[in-house]
Amino acid sequence: MNELDLRNKRVLIRVDFNVPIKKEKIISDTRIIASLPTIKTALKRNAKVIIMSHFGRPPEESYDYRFSLFPIVKYLKNKLPDIQINLVKNYLGGIKANIGELTVLENVRFNQGEQENDEVLAKKYAKLCDIFVMDAFGIAHRSHASTCGLAKFAEISCIGPLFFKELEVLTRVMKNPSRPLVAILGGSKISTKFNLLNSLSKIADSIIVGGGIANTFLAIHNNVGKSLHEPNFVKSANILLNKHNIQIPIDVRVSTEFSENTVAKIKQTNNISDNDFILDFGDKTINSLILLLNQAKTILWNGPIGVFEFPNFRKGTEMIAQTIANSDAFSIAGGGDTLAAIDLFGVKNNISYISTGGGAFLKFIEDNNLPIISIIKQRVK
Ligand code: AMP
């Protein structure tokens, strides 16, 4: 976007305003804040600025006030008091956008065909603008009409500054990281992150696995009792473990109940009983991981180490978060639960880069590409 002349042009920016809202109040404005510089730049460069976003999952593909962008427009009016901001409900037949004003199109998920990437809909969107700017990194792993479809049919398509920054940081970490690069991959299921684990094992010097993923690795040689793990992936985990430097826990926090106030007991990983749930790492493991992380020059983090929502099982995730925050390494984090943990432990300002994408962040690391990038590159050719 920064390379194009925007003056007097209808510039349609796809943003990601899919923020958590309760009773018309925005709970976390991170994604909106991240989009503001792009919007302000386009306004300053005398474009006729139009923005569009999805919000939530409306059950029908039609207007539903519970999923209106109205609370976001209210928020924007506060943030940009000098700008006239209009929320437009019916726009597929055409709109009037003016220089110096901000036109916000209602939730794209009210339109039939949005999530199926319907071509007819994408062409209608394309008619609304002279330039399409894709800046919604958070939805970039999906091919929807307002992302890939629009990028295909708009007269001119490009990516915006926020998207560019995300790609720049992620590409640097993947292609040319300061080493050692330590990746932390936690969370519930190895099946959803196996390809990612494979990609990471090619670029990282060591990988710390946590959560249900670590339990699946433990199950190669140990009884894991009732712990969350995926027996179908034990064999593949073993192949990876033999080839790469994957750190698995030596001691863990267990309980015989999966419940919020249950007490944690530390056990060696070769001593787990049939009734145990492994819910977090033990202290010996945590201490050795702190030493490993303190030597890292780059740290990439996705997914909690344990059930951090339960106070007695958050130490692993908390210590990892604090260690990253105190480290001089370049650190990058992404993913919904990871950001929730970062917020919970108050370390947001000490992480070098927090991605606005969860799925897109993971997909880009996994494939070194995103569908929208292929389309825009194709069009550049
Ligand atoms: P994901 O969405 O795959 O990143 O998984 C995040 C969820 O995994 C969080 O809600 C954690 O509570 C959960 N989790 C982490 N460790 C464990 C564990 N050992 N057992 C069960 N759930 C876990």
Side-chain angles (χ1 to χ4, degrees):
M1 181 184 103
N2 285 342
E3 289 171 14
L4 295 171
D5 180 8
L6 307 182
R7 209 171 351 133
N8 213 11
K9 301 268 171 41
R10 296 170 303 156
V11 175
L12 173 52
I13 309 173
R14 174 61 160 99
V15 291
D16 180 3
F17 282 168
N18 190 29
V19 292
I21 294 185
K22 267 195 192 138
K23 293 188 181 152
E24 290 192 10
K25 234 183 120 66
I26 295 170
I27 312 291
S28 163
D29 60 0
T30 312
R31 283 182 165 163
I32 309 182
I33 297 278
S35 295
L36 283 180
T38 305
I39 297 169
K40 284 182 183 167
T41 302
L43 284 167
K44 217 184 277 165
R45 289 172 57 198
N46 293 319
K48 298 171 178 169
V49 185
I50 308 160
I51 52 181
M52 71 191 323
S53 176
H54 69 293
F55 172 58
R57 291 172 195 269
E60 309 281 337
E61 290 180 320
S62 62
Y63 183 80
D64 179 333
Y65 73 96
R66 294 170 303 167
F67 296 92
S68 167
L69 294 187
F70 174 73
I72 293 161
V73 167
K74 204 165 134 193
Y75 173 96
L76 285 175
K77 284 183 176 171
N78 253 323
K79 285 275 167 198
L80 305 167
D82 302 330
I83 307 290
Q84 163 84 32
I85 306 179
N86 311 305
L87 176 63
V88 184
K89 201 162 145 189
N90 300 312
Y91 49 84
L92 292 178
I95 47 162
K96 176 131 184 56
N98 299 312
I99 293 176
E101 293 180 7
L102 192 57
T103 304
V104 182
L105 308 183
E106 246 312 357
N107 192 350
V108 290
R109 290 202 176 156
F110 293 159
N111 300 321
Q112 253 178 38
E114 165 61 21
Q115 294 186 74
E116 294 77 41
N117 192 10
D118 178 60
E119 284 206 356
V120 177
L121 178 63
K123 284 178 181 164
K124 283 184 186 167
Y125 289 150
K127 280 199 183 140
L128 303 176
C129 64
D130 304 305
I131 298 173
F132 169 55
V133 180
M134 173 61 176
D135 211 27
F137 188 73
I139 190 79
H141 54 310
R142 306 252 184 250
S143 295
H144 290 170
S146 67
T147 60
C148 290
L150 185 42
K152 194 166 157 195
F153 296 115
E155 207 172 308
I156 297 175
S157 295
C158 64
I159 59 168
L162 171 64
F163 202 111
F164 185 82
K165 174 87 185 161
E166 295 268 8
L167 292 187
E168 193 183 47
V169 175
L170 278 172
T171 306
R172 174 150 58 96
V173 167
M174 289 164 62
K175 295 259 164 78
N176 193 17
S178 300
R179 293 192 180 275
L181 161 61
V182 179
I184 304 156
L185 193 63
S188 52
K189 289 190 170 171
I190 194 169
S191 52
T192 58
K193 293 186 183 171
F194 193 77
N195 293 339
L196 176 68
L197 192 57
N198 234 326
S199 303
L200 277 178
S201 63
K202 290 181 191 130
I203 57 165
D205 296 291
S206 29
I207 302 178
I208 299 170
V209 285
I213 301 177
N215 295 346
T216 302
F217 276 93
L218 285 176
I220 298 170
H221 296 301
N222 305 280
N223 176 20
V224 291
K226 292 182 176 167
S227 311
L228 174 68
H229 73 293
E230 288 166 283
N232 289 348
F233 276 82
V234 172
K235 208 168 149 197
S236 321
N238 195 19
I239 295 170
L240 268 189
L241 186 65
N242 287 329
K243 280 205 289 198
H244 300 285
N245 183 8
I246 296 175
Q247 305 286 321
I248 56 175
I250 47 173
D251 63 341
V252 286
R253 283 180 159 75
V254 301
S255 164
T256 48
E257 266 173 62
F258 187 88
S259 70
E260 173 134 23
N261 295 315
T262 182
V263 176
K265 197 169 163 188
I266 296 187
K267 283 193 175 181
Q268 301 304 299
T269 47
N270 58 6
N271 193 27
I272 307 298
S273 312
D274 290 348
N275 286 331
D276 283 336
F277 289 92
I278 301 172
L279 300 178
D280 196 7
F281 286 177
D283 291 344
K284 277 192 209 140
T285 303
I286 293 171
N287 289 337
S288 84
L289 295 180
I290 291 174
L291 292 179
L292 179 74
L293 285 169
N294 281 339
Q295 282 166 19
K297 292 274 191 310
T298 307
I299 303 171
L300 191 147
W301 179 25
N302 169 262
I305 292 302
V307 184
F308 74 104
E309 296 92 338
F310 297 172
N312 294 336
F313 298 93
R314 66 173 51 140
K315 194 166 175 194
T317 309
E318 181 165 14
M319 293 307 289
I320 292 275
Q322 299 292 0
T323 307
I324 298 175
N326 293 329
S327 155
D328 292 333
F330 181 78
S331 51
I332 170 164
D337 282 301
T338 315
L339 302 200
I342 286 171
D343 271 343
L344 179 69
F345 304 127
V347 294
K348 200 169 170 177
N349 296 332
N350 302 82
I351 309 284
S352 316
Y353 190 78
I354 297 182
S355 175
T356 54
F361 169 84
L362 301 179
K363 184 94 183 124
F364 188 71
I365 298 169
E366 189 178 314
D367 295 349
N368 197 9
N369 199 13
L370 289 167
I372 186 103
I373 299 176
S374 306
I375 291 174
I376 293 183
K377 273 190 181 159
Q378 192 68 32
R379 295 210 48 188
V380 170
K381 266 191 209 155

